[in-house]
Amino acid sequence: MKKSLCLLLLFASFILPFEAEPFDVLKHLSTVTRYDVARGVSNEALGSSSNSNGCTPLHLNLLARHGTRSPTKKRIKELDWLAIRLETLLNDAKADRKTIEQEVPDWLKGWRSPWEGKPKGGELISRGEEELYHLGVRIRERFPQLFNVEYHPDVFSIRATQVPRASASAVAFGMGLFSQRGSLGPGKNRAFSVISETRASDIWLRFYDTCKTYKEFRESREPDVDKLKKPFFYEIATALFTRYHLNFTSQDVSSLWFLCKQQASLLDITDQACSLFNPSEIALLEWTDDLEVFLLKGYGNSLNYHMGVPLLQDVIQSMEQAIVAKEENHASGTFEKARLRFAHAETVVPFTCLLGLFIEGSELDKIARDEPLNFPVKPPMERKWKGSVIAPFAGNTMLVLYQCPANNSESSKISRNKYFVQVLHNEVPVTLPGCGNVDFCPLDVFKEQTIGTHLKHDYEMLCSPKTDTLEPPSNPSKEQSS
């Protein structure tokens, strides 16, 4: 008996270190996730890099979302309304019962929004500035061959949307990228150019705002998405009533979930709104956010990402121009080495879809046929489609063009090609389903098999309103039962 007990204890000592880590709400905030948290999640989810076999980076394309920002003006008003609503719920409960003090969390009593009375919102906060600044520093350190020449706006093109948080992110990034490269102030900073198109004509970074067909589609689909989410909010509202005896509605749950994300991501507060929900409820709320992103920005409809073709064309054009300059032996520093773009989740998510990221292998054929993909599976099942990985604050996708030795050994994977593309998401190399699930892909294969089916689409044709009906989304009832 003693021998069996000793063996059991020995076996347990090997198992315990491998137990699942404690639930961390910061990793489950969908697109409101901070970049420092998202980088850790991305490293876990996306894996490691393959060897570039001595190849030299020739050009870099970057698309980055703005950094962590404050709530928008509309959302600030929602939180002000929530404070009034919570006070009403507490007063109603006090009138009905005397045990309210023992059941309701103390923070709810007299709660006021941290943004109460703020007339404006949506601006980049200091944490967001730091996210982009340090991203710029890391990219320069990672690709010294690209950033070892003197700055010129034609060599390092920086573009942003006209929304202040995006242009501010571009500035913060540039300050990191070019730090110690100038003569301004103690940080030896230098001035640099940030270019923006007008909102009405920016088909590269704000295609979701300029594409009339998409705007009509989104307006028609948003009520349906809300209907899909509402039963889950109601389910959680019922559970909250059981725990706290407060008559929360589905809208209350939605607002409390928004507050949870803002408190956790912006203020590092996880023991107030977030503590109202248990881990399974937070996972479900995160899934509802991810579902909305999927349906309105992602693989739920091919229009969501096909309208981003001008951006994809711009990326390919920049690579081809760099190749021409190299083949014609232009001196380093006389041609573009990096095209750096700063925009929004509505830009980043469709772009990842154009690259075929975050899908199961069997779904590639459906994308080629312009068919919507199946809904992301509900927790506790694992899924690739997670807003916290795809488009967190400062989330980014890089395409690095490499020049490789032309005559390597026969066994080398790069012996028959001179130019290769590596895609990194949140600074982690990702495998490309269209390139045989490798992360270092011959440029011609990348153009033909990963993005070729998308380039056949024309932005003007897609975005001119038509009378015919857009492709239907996946069957909600079928997907929710999976």
Side-chain angles (χ1 to χ4, degrees):
M1 180 66 180
K2 288 183 179 180
K3 183 177 180 181
S4 298
L5 181 60
C6 289
L7 288 173
L8 182 62
L9 291 173
L10 180 63
F11 181 68
S13 70
F14 283 104
I15 291 179
L16 288 175
F18 298 97
E19 287 182 349
E21 61 182 72
F23 184 84
D24 184 358
V25 67
L26 293 175
K27 295 181 179 180
H28 297 272
L29 303 179
S30 192
T31 58
V32 189
T33 302
R34 294 200 312 254
Y35 190 60
D36 61 329
V37 177
R39 282 188 73 205
V41 174
S42 294
N43 276 287
E44 295 169 8
L46 302 177
S48 59
S49 170
S50 64
N51 195 333
S52 59
N53 291 327
C55 300
T56 304
L58 181 63
H59 187 275
L60 182 147
N61 274 281
L62 168 72
L63 174 65
R65 186 188 178 196
H66 59 76
T68 300
R69 61 165 171 81
S70 68
T72 61
K73 184 177 179 180
K74 179 180 177 180
R75 290 295 207 166
I76 289 173
K77 290 182 178 179
E78 180 181 343
L79 292 178
D80 289 341
W81 174 88
L82 178 63
I84 297 171
R85 172 66 179 159
L86 291 176
E87 184 178 11
T88 300
L89 288 172
L90 289 171
N91 288 336
D92 290 346
K94 286 179 180 178
D96 292 340
R97 301 166 39 260
K98 295 181 180 180
T99 56
I100 186 70
E101 297 294 330
Q102 300 173 2
E103 297 175 347
V104 174
D106 288 338
W107 74 269
L108 277 174
K109 304 163 188 174
W111 179 82
R112 287 291 179 268
S113 168
W115 299 277
E116 183 179 20
K118 190 175 179 183
K120 296 184 181 295
E123 76 280 5
L124 193 70
I125 65 172
S126 58
R127 173 170 279 156
E129 295 174 354
E130 292 167 2
E131 290 167 341
L132 272 301
Y133 176 87
H134 291 297
L135 176 63
V137 171
R138 288 193 301 271
I139 287 178
R140 186 181 72 186
E141 292 175 348
R142 185 168 189 161
F143 302 104
Q145 305 96 322
L146 293 176
F147 300 100
N148 59 0
V149 298
E150 186 177 352
Y151 168 79
H152 189 279
D154 293 339
V155 179
F156 303 110
S157 171
I158 305 177
R159 307 175 184 188
T161 69
Q162 280 197 325
V163 179
R165 57 180 171 269
S167 55
S169 294
V171 171
F173 176 90
M175 290 182 70
L177 185 67
F178 302 120
S179 59
Q180 303 296 320
R181 297 290 179 91
S183 58
L184 300 177
K188 294 185 177 180
N189 296 312
R190 65 150 300 128
F192 52 88
S193 171
V194 177
I195 300 172
S196 295
E197 291 283 338
T198 63
R199 294 193 188 194
S201 61
D202 192 351
I203 65 172
W204 299 276
L205 298 180
R206 288 187 67 86
F207 43 77
Y208 54 90
D209 217 17
T210 58
C211 182
K212 293 181 180 179
T213 308
Y214 172 72
K215 292 175 77 172
E216 291 176 359
F217 161 73
R218 177 162 182 156
E219 185 178 348
S220 69
R221 282 292 283 153
E222 283 178 338
D224 297 330
V225 174
D226 290 340
K227 287 179 182 178
L228 285 174
K229 296 167 61 174
K230 192 170 183 178
F232 302 105
F233 291 157
Y234 178 78
E235 175 186 331
I236 293 172
T238 302
L240 293 182
F241 176 78
T242 301
R243 290 201 288 272
Y244 306 113
H245 292 93
L246 295 174
N247 290 315
F248 290 120
T249 64
S250 297
Q251 180 57 53
D252 295 333
V253 170
S254 177
S255 296
L256 287 167
W257 171 231
F258 175 75
L259 175 61
C260 163
K261 292 183 289 186
Q262 299 301 307
Q263 286 184 327
S265 194
L266 278 66
L267 307 175
D268 288 311
I269 296 174
T270 59
D271 60 354
Q272 291 189 7
C274 294
S275 68
L276 293 175
F277 309 109
N278 62 37
S280 63
E281 290 164 351
I282 287 176
L284 187 59
L285 289 166
E286 176 194 22
W287 175 80
T288 64
D289 282 356
D290 292 348
L291 177 63
E292 180 173 342
V293 172
F294 177 87
L295 290 172
L296 300 180
K297 301 183 182 76
Y299 291 116
N301 190 295
S302 64
L303 176 63
N304 292 343
Y305 50 93
H306 282 157
M307 63 178 172
V309 162
L311 171 59
L312 187 61
Q313 291 171 330
D314 188 58
V315 168
I316 296 301
Q317 181 191 56
S318 70
M319 292 182 184
E320 292 173 341
Q321 289 173 343
I323 291 172
V324 169
K326 187 67 177 178
E327 295 291 334
E328 294 179 352
N329 295 316
H330 293 193
S332 179
T334 63
F335 60 93
E336 185 182 81
K337 289 199 166 190
R339 195 168 292 189
L340 311 162
R341 306 169 184 83
F342 300 87
H344 309 270
E346 291 87 349
T347 320
V348 173
V349 174
F351 189 67
T352 65
C353 295
L354 288 169
L355 299 177
L357 306 185
F358 311 110
I359 64 169
E360 304 298 336
S362 59
E363 294 179 316
L364 193 60
D365 291 339
K366 295 183 73 174
I367 293 175
R369 296 191 299 268
D370 296 340
E371 296 177 4
L373 302 189
N374 294 335
F375 282 19
V377 295
K378 286 189 296 184
M381 296 180 67
E382 291 293 324
R383 65 183 184 278
K384 290 186 177 181
W385 187 267
K386 300 195 75 171
S388 58
V389 174
I390 300 168
F393 288 129
N396 57 86
T397 302
M398 286 185 276
L399 288 86
V400 185
L401 175 68
Y402 283 88
Q403 182 183 30
C404 300
N407 296 311
N408 285 0
S409 65
E410 287 298 318
S411 61
S412 172
K413 293 182 179 179
I414 61 173
S415 61
R416 294 181 299 278
N417 255 286
K418 194 173 181 181
Y419 296 102
F420 284 72
V421 175
Q422 185 175 51
V423 176
L424 300 92
H425 189 75
N426 296 339
E427 304 173 67
V428 180
V430 293
T431 58
L432 299 170
C435 286
N437 289 312
V438 298
D439 64 24
F440 202 68
C441 184
L443 177 60
D444 55 352
V445 176
F446 174 79
K447 289 165 66 176
E448 180 181 349
Q449 298 186 16
T450 295
I451 64 174
T453 58
H454 304 309
L455 292 176
K456 68 184 181 183
H457 293 281
D458 178 80
Y459 173 84
E460 295 298 334
M461 292 289 290
L462 283 169
C463 293
S464 299
K466 308 177 186 68
T467 56
D468 53 323
T469 306
L470 291 168
E471 62 187 77
S474 302
N475 187 333
S477 59
K478 179 179 178 182
E479 300 307 329
Q480 286 183 13
S481 62
S482 63

